[in-house]
Amino acid sequence: HIIRETSSFTWLAPAGSSMPYQQWIVPKRHIAEMGAFEDQEIAQLAALLQAASRAMLTLGDSYNWIFMNFARRGAAHCYVELFPRMTALGGFELGTGTYVEIVDPALAAQKLKTAAGA
């Protein structure tokens, strides 16, 4: 469910998303923390975040970016998680930790790709 790729990143809608239009921006090279990005990677990530923001604003007025860093954990892989604020978690999700997805990730990827002009 790839939305866009650069030489350094893949922006995608994960197949097992926990909320509508959830996305990840994942570096192609293994890196545990974003502080180690090179200048060209920072520029590419910034451009993808701008495109993702534009795309999410076509869905609603608010969204979140979560920067997942894993300092001193070489086996982990950093990424950015993004999602528009469209739904509230219900008792089932809060009580079980299991999420009910209401939007097919393949359709979400296509809609975000179109909205981002990819």
Side-chain angles (χ1 to χ4, degrees), residues 30-55:
H30 176 73
I31 185 166
E33 49 189 309
M34 294 176 194
F37 283 157
E38 297 172 0
D39 289 345
Q40 107 299 6
E41 290 171 316
I42 293 169
Q44 288 179 26
L45 178 58
L48 288 173
L49 289 170
Q50 288 174 335
S53 294
R54 282 191 304 274

Side-chain angles (χ1 to χ4, degrees), residues 25-93:
I25 299 175
V26 183
K28 289 183 177 179
R29 75 178 172 107
H30 176 73
I31 185 166
E33 49 189 309
M34 294 176 194
F37 283 157
E38 297 172 0
D39 289 345
Q40 107 299 6
E41 290 171 316
I42 293 169
Q44 288 179 26
L45 178 58
L48 288 173
L49 289 170
Q50 288 174 335
S53 294
R54 282 191 304 274
M56 286 189 291
L57 285 172
T58 68
L59 303 169
D61 294 331
S62 60
Y63 56 87
N64 289 96
W65 294 352
I66 302 172
F67 294 87
M68 303 299 293
N69 281 294
F70 301 96
R72 296 175 299 283
R73 298 183 118 167
H77 194 100
C78 69
Y79 63 98
V80 182
E81 181 175 349
L82 311 98
F83 53 91
R85 301 297 300 255
M86 301 180 74
T87 62
L89 296 177
F92 181 80
E93 289 89 354

